[in-house]
Amino acid sequence: MMERESSTDEEDDRENLISQNDTVKSPQRSTFEIGDFRTRLSNSARRFDKRYLYLLAVFLPLFILILYFTIDTKNLFQTRIPIVNNHGSSNPLIVNRMRESELRALYLLKQQQSELLKLWNYSTLVSKSYLTTVNSNSSVNMISVNNNTNHGVAALSLLEDLKSGVFSHISLNKKIQEVLLSAHENGDFLGLNENYTDPSVADWTRCSKVDQRLSERRTIGWNPNLNKYLLAICVSGQMSNHLICLEKHMFFAALLNRVLVIPSTKVDYEFKRVLDIEHINKCLGRKVVVTFEEFVESKKKHLHIDKFLCYFSLPRPCYLDDERLKKLKGLGFSLGKIKTVWKEDVKNPNQRTVQDVLAKFSSDDDVIAIGDVFFADVERQWVMQPGGPIAHSCKTLIEPSRLIMLTAQRFIQTFMGKDFIALHFRRHGFLKFCNAKKPSCFYPVPQAADCISRVVERANTPVIYLSTDAAESETGLLQSLLVLNGKSVPLIKRPARNSAEKWDALLYRHGLEGDSQVEAMLDKTICALSSVFIGSSGSTFTEDILRLRKDWGSASLCDEYLCQGELPNIIAEDE
């Protein structure tokens, strides 16, 4: 009440004051007349309301629609957390790098999942194959002929496959870590094809060389009486059979303290064209073998076989036919009676010992001959060990000549390179031979291609050297089916003679070109020098390659027979 009364008194005083001062002119309006301004403002507002009300009613909905379609409402209210780098500042490039790293990590994780599935499927397949091999007892191992060892090596192969899978995933996991961490570091992304492994496993390879344990080798010395000779007789099969027969004759000569006489070219192969005979003597440091010509010279052409002994009695004594006997007599030999020392069948040979050999073949005669011993089963583990049973200073006694070895090396340098798979693909005459065996060893070309592709993938090698007697129709089909990761795996065969190529110049200059046995030994040598070898089960050509690989130390854990552990998916009926 007091405030209201005070206000009224002030207004009355102001009115009284204005009426008493005539100097104020009524027609003029003061700029600071508040009451008049309020009146005019009220009138303008009423006019504005009427004029713009309709315009607002029309344009406001239109304005709202424009905002709706032009503004990202999802991101408008999204909370953004800045990415802070190591230096404490936010950078939009880091966001992109993180997103890219995560996507690449997801890709690698999916790749790892795929590889793990492949590893699982493969381990299942190998396990089934191993069980089949154990049950059938039909698989022959390349490193040892002992059955128990065969099963152990098969288990070792399975273990190596598992190690291979673990190794690849250690590397892949390391890649994922590096990709995820790369966004937090300076520099470019690390390559997806690089191999990231711990130093402890960095030097591991799936197809590593086999440890032959040469320090554990069991050997016998060969110290022959230079006046005592053993004439080797080898008649069964082709050159590979004869080389194996010759190796066993060397063991017999060492046991009997005799000089071994290499067969004459008139009754056997011309060994001096494919073997370095003098190499054997150098390895022993003494004269342990002589050529037939040297033997004839030492005997002054008075040739007589004092005792002709047969290791095998069935299917015929010494495995000799009348034609071979005529050839031996044609050399000028006088022969005594051919004698069999025991009952022995080439189809089912008995296991014999050193004592058995000494008891039956020891003699004081100057010259003895022993019939074909290719099928002989004497001290198997001792004879088949790396380097053979005889003490010497070389890797092996029976090996290709120096000319063939150099030619093989030049071919590899020209066409193959350091890492390659060698495939002995025996086909000619093999269909009937294999189907007579249980199980068969003759595989359809598509099935063979699948088996070869698995080895190529495991060995990770770019090319395959093909040693084969197959027709072009089969090798052409095989080549078309050998595709891995979308790329064809080339099959390389020795080309025909071309004067523009110099890898075979040594053979040409020494008159050895075109010789079928020289070419066969050249094939063996190339295969024996390969990183990984795939052989034909039941072929002595393959077995001789395995002997060389074992003796030279080139045998790999990935070596195997073609489709080893599998049966052909179809087998033709008998005639």
Side-chain angles (χ1 to χ4, degrees):
M1 288 294 295
M2 292 180 61
E3 289 180 359
R4 188 175 296 178
E5 291 175 355
S6 173
S7 178
T8 302
D9 293 340
E10 289 178 358
E11 289 178 358
D12 291 341
D13 292 340
R14 189 181 301 113
E15 288 177 358
N16 294 331
L17 183 62
I18 292 174
S19 60
Q20 294 174 1
N21 294 315
D22 295 333
T23 59
V24 179
K25 298 181 180 180
S26 58
Q28 292 182 343
R29 295 181 178 178
S30 172
T31 307
F32 299 100
E33 291 179 0
I34 303 302
D36 184 65
F37 173 75
R38 289 178 177 173
T39 302
R40 286 186 286 116
L41 183 60
S42 176
N43 293 335
S44 298
R46 285 195 295 268
R47 287 195 300 270
F48 176 81
D49 290 341
K50 293 179 181 179
R51 185 177 302 175
Y52 296 106
L53 183 60
Y54 298 107
L55 292 176
L56 288 174
V58 172
F59 287 106
L60 184 59
L62 181 61
F63 180 73
I64 293 173
L65 288 175
I66 293 172
L67 289 177
Y68 179 81
F69 288 106
T70 57
I71 294 177
D72 187 356
T73 57
K74 180 182 294 187
N75 293 327
L76 184 61
F77 301 101
Q78 183 175 357
T79 301
R80 296 181 179 272
I81 300 175
I83 304 296
V84 180
N85 62 15
N86 294 335
H87 303 287
S89 61
S90 60
N91 189 340
L93 293 178
I94 300 298
V95 179
N96 293 333
R97 288 174 64 89
M98 285 294 292
R99 288 177 178 173
E100 184 179 350
S101 297
E102 290 168 357
L103 290 175
R104 296 178 76 187
L106 286 173
Y107 166 79
L108 292 174
L109 283 171
K110 287 185 177 181
Q111 183 181 343
Q112 188 177 40
Q113 181 188 42
S114 175
E115 292 300 318
L116 283 169
L117 288 173
K118 287 170 63 178
L119 177 62
W120 173 262
N121 293 333
Y122 180 72
S123 62
T124 303
L125 174 65
V126 173
S127 297
K128 291 180 179 178
S129 172
Y130 174 63
L131 290 174
T132 302
T133 301
V134 172
N135 292 333
S136 63
N137 197 23
S138 60
S139 176
V140 180
N141 185 265
M142 299 182 172
I143 303 169
S144 172
V145 294
N146 182 270
N147 286 333
N148 293 330
T149 305
N150 292 346
H151 301 157
V153 173
L156 177 62
S157 178
L158 178 59
L159 176 61
E160 289 299 317
D161 290 334
L162 179 61
K163 288 171 64 178
S164 176
V166 173
F167 177 82
S168 66
H169 293 300
I170 290 174
S171 177
L172 188 56
N173 187 271
K174 186 67 174 177
K175 288 180 184 180
I176 296 172
Q177 294 181 52
E178 294 290 342
V179 168
L180 289 174
L181 291 174
S182 62
H184 302 279
E185 300 173 356
N186 295 327
D188 297 332
F189 282 106
L190 298 170
L192 286 174
N193 293 325
E194 294 182 30
N195 194 23
Y196 303 99
T197 56
D198 294 331
S200 60
V201 295
D203 59 347
W204 183 86
T205 58
R206 169 62 186 87
C207 297
S208 58
K209 302 304 179 184
V210 176
D211 182 5
Q212 302 293 356
R213 299 183 179 180
L214 295 178
S215 61
E216 302 175 10
R217 225 175 123 226
R218 177 189 177 192
T219 60
I220 182 176
W222 189 358
N223 300 290
N225 184 331
L226 297 182
N227 295 320
K228 304 293 182 180
Y229 295 93
L230 169 61
L231 185 62
I233 306 295
C234 298
V235 298
S236 62
Q238 303 294 323
M239 169 67 90
S240 297
N241 295 45
H242 287 227
L243 291 175
I244 295 172
C245 172
L246 196 62
E247 184 180 28
K248 291 183 178 180
H249 268 299
M250 289 169 57
F251 183 50
F252 277 55
L255 292 176
L256 300 172
N257 295 319
R258 290 178 175 271
V259 175
L260 182 68
V261 180
I262 303 297
S264 168
T265 58
K266 294 181 179 180
V267 297
D268 209 330
Y269 292 103
E270 195 170 356
F271 290 108
K272 64 181 180 180
R273 292 176 70 88
V274 297
L275 301 178
D276 187 350
I277 304 299
E278 198 55 37
H279 163 80
I280 302 173
N281 293 323
K282 290 179 181 178
C283 292
L284 271 296
R286 64 187 69 90
K287 198 77 169 180
V288 293
V289 296
V290 295
T291 64
F292 184 77
E293 291 73 21
E294 290 175 316
F295 169 71
V296 172
E297 181 65 25
S298 66
K299 288 298 180 180
K300 307 300 181 182
K301 299 185 179 180
H302 297 291
L303 303 180
H304 178 71
I305 298 177
D306 300 314
K307 189 174 291 185
F308 204 131
L309 303 174
C310 295
Y311 188 97
F312 288 99
S313 58
L314 297 172
R316 53 183 178 269
C318 288
Y319 213 62
L320 284 172
D321 54 19
D322 293 337
E323 182 180 356
R324 187 59 60 100
L325 284 173
K326 289 179 181 179
K327 288 182 177 180
L328 284 172
K329 292 177 180 180
L331 295 174
F333 278 113
S334 59
L335 304 177
K337 183 180 179 181
I338 297 177
K339 178 184 177 182
T340 57
V341 299
W342 48 40
K343 185 178 180 179
E344 195 80 19
D345 190 343
V346 296
K347 294 182 180 179
N348 188 27
N350 295 303
Q351 293 186 15
R352 302 292 185 177
T353 66
V354 168
Q355 290 72 25
D356 294 332
V357 172
L358 292 174
K360 296 295 184 179
F361 293 96
S362 294
S363 173
D364 291 329
D365 296 300
D366 290 341
V367 180
I368 66 171
I370 298 178
D372 197 311
V373 293
F374 170 73
F375 296 101
D377 187 2
V378 178
E379 300 286 0
R380 185 187 305 176
Q381 293 185 42
W382 191 3
V383 171
M384 297 298 291
Q385 67 182 337
I390 300 171
H392 57 81
S393 60
C394 302
K395 291 183 178 180
T396 184
L397 294 179
I398 297 181
E399 68 178 18
S401 69
R402 182 66 176 166
L403 290 176
I404 293 177
M405 178 71 77
L406 290 174
T407 302
Q409 292 174 355
R410 291 180 176 186
F411 177 84
I412 292 171
Q413 183 178 358
T414 302
F415 294 99
M416 310 301 299
K418 179 182 178 182
D419 296 321
F420 67 97
I421 293 175
L423 168 64
H424 176 222
F425 193 50
R426 171 73 185 275
R427 302 298 275 184
H428 181 69
F430 225 44
L431 176 59
K432 184 176 181 180
F433 169 81
C434 279
N435 282 355
K437 299 176 65 177
K438 302 299 179 185
S440 175
C441 52
F442 191 88
Y443 297 89
V445 173
Q447 185 178 1
D450 287 341
C451 296
I452 296 167
S453 296
R454 289 197 295 269
V455 178
V456 172
E457 183 177 20
R458 204 181 321 156
N460 191 28
T461 50
V463 293
I464 298 175
Y465 177 70
L466 178 61
S467 173
T468 186
D469 55 5
E472 185 64 32
S473 57
E474 292 186 69
T475 58
L477 176 60
L478 180 63
Q479 176 64 89
S480 67
L481 294 173
L482 283 178
V483 179
L484 187 65
N485 298 326
K487 295 182 180 180
S488 177
V489 182
L491 293 173
I492 299 176
K493 294 192 292 185
R494 285 185 297 104
R497 166 77 183 160
N498 188 330
S499 59
E501 298 174 358
K502 300 302 181 183
W503 63 269
D504 57 349
L506 289 175
L507 299 183
Y508 180 77
R509 289 204 300 266
H510 289 83
L512 297 175
E513 81 287 352
D515 185 307
S516 60
Q517 297 308 320
V518 171
E519 292 182 349
M521 183 59 77
L522 179 58
D523 260 13
K524 285 184 181 180
T525 308
I526 295 171
C527 290
L529 293 173
S530 64
S531 304
V532 175
F533 176 64
I534 305 172
S536 293
S537 176
S539 167
T540 53
F541 190 93
T542 283
E543 296 304 321
D544 203 36
I545 293 171
L546 297 175
R547 176 188 65 83
L548 286 173
R549 290 179 64 78
K550 179 177 58 179
D551 293 351
W552 286 347
S554 59
S556 163
L557 289 173
C558 293
D559 289 359
E560 64 177 48
Y561 294 121
L562 180 64
C563 295
Q564 183 170 312
E566 292 186 29
L567 294 175
N569 56 34
I570 184 172
I571 300 176
E573 296 179 357
D574 295 335
E575 297 177 4

